[in-house]
Amino acid sequence: MAHPASPTVARRCGPLAGAIRVPGDKSISHRALMLGALAVGRTEITGLLEGEDVLATAAALNALGASITRNGDGQWTVYGIGVGALAEPENLLDLGNSGTAARLLLGMLATHPITAFVTGDASLRRRPMGRVVEPLSRFGARFVSREGGRLPLAVSGAADPIPIVYRLPVPSAQVKSAVLLAGLNTPGATTVIERQPTRDHTERMLRHFGAAVSTEPEDGGGLRVTVEGFPEMSAAPIIVPGDPSSAAFPLVAGLIVPGSDVTVEGVGINPLRTGLLECLSEMGADIALVNHREEGGEPVADIRARAGTLTGADIPAERAPRMIDEYPILAVAAACARGRTVMRGLAELRVKESDRLSAIATGLDQCGVRVMVEGDDLIVEGADNFPAGGAMIETRLDHRMAMAFLVLGLAANEPVRIDDVAPIATSFPGFIELMNRLGAAIGEAE
Ligand code: S3P
């Protein structure tokens, strides 16, 4: 998807205050559409994220024979066709900016006897697909891709797939999910072994639709996740919670803009997504979770953040899978904290929508923050007050970089400009308006 560049500026503002909701969880929204398409019957979804990434998944599934319609704000219906029934798409599947859409759909396609051609935007075409091509080939699927398994690629799914046992070489919920989804149209049991637990939305939702999925501890640590092939999946309603990765931006803004008191309601607090909240608490943040409940098989709460002094912390590598998308905004919090924050084990950040390790370091440095990358670790020396700001940040087709640096601009001494905010629409449509409703000062750069 082409984005017209639209430079935007965030200025220091007075206290942020209010209670808001953020759009639906991106990971869960993709899965609701995909699993709804593989279940037989009519799945009603409430709270679906209507961001570009999820809309790309909906369009691809329509091209594969499912029927997906929008009934109103976040209200969508999926008429599922069942496991094994995907039809060959007539045209390229363009998944825009979305790694989750590309990798999970490749999993589904790998065990359907059809051929599909898959591509994405400039960011997605740079990202590694070899990590799913490798295990999916073991089912018997054939791929023709650019160097390094990059998109565009062609996949011909296996007509007689073979179940596999696969040990994840990288902690990735996308790779785990791709293998599990391929296992659905495969006889017997397909197993993924993960050394470090990653988000388990696929497993939870498969069970919700009636598939047999077991999760057991693996000898020597980690988890062994097994799905039985050819499940009877039937349509089931889905309620999508607010995305904790989106809530992170107004919450951190509430912590660093003096005098603020911000509540985000109805946020998913799946323990495999709450690493950021742990880090912020260790940094001394005033964060409270209230009104705990369960919605659609996922734990949910309202989260309140009040401004105060933050202190640097040492963030262990083991926590990375539970907060992998939150490092840009954690680095912003660290830049406003007292003392040094060390974020360890961030190799996976190099293969996100942009090379986030380098993008965070460059952006903070431009804003006058002392920052270092040592191997796969990021070290931020807190300003113990307000960072200088005054920079123009390159978004690099990365929504989370844009949002993180807009939040930094709300506390910095000088305004922070962002070259292109259009990618924010992939995950958080309405972000700027929502922040301004809380009292932020984000507007078009002159
Ligand atoms: C996601 C998994 C993570 C995350 C991405 C969404 C998912 O990617 O960064 O935004 O929905 O499974 P990896 O699996 O590459 O870590």
Side-chain angles (χ1 to χ4, degrees), residues 26-27 31 100 103 131 171-174 199 324-325 352:
K26 184 149 71 76
S27 290
R31 287 158 173 82
T100 307
R103 297 196 177 111
R131 53 179 58 199
S172 165
Q174 292 179 357
R199 66 189 68 191
I324 194 64
D325 294 332
K352 294 297 173 191

Side-chain angles (χ1 to χ4, degrees), residues 271-303:
L272 294 168
R273 299 285 298 279
T274 48
L276 174 73
L277 298 180
E278 282 163 44
C279 298
L280 293 172
S281 296
E282 288 169 9
M283 294 170 80
D286 183 351
I287 289 205
L289 272 62
V290 293
N291 204 3
H292 286 259
R293 56 218 187 256
E294 179 129 334
E295 280 176 7
E298 293 277 351
V300 169
D302 302 339
I303 307 179

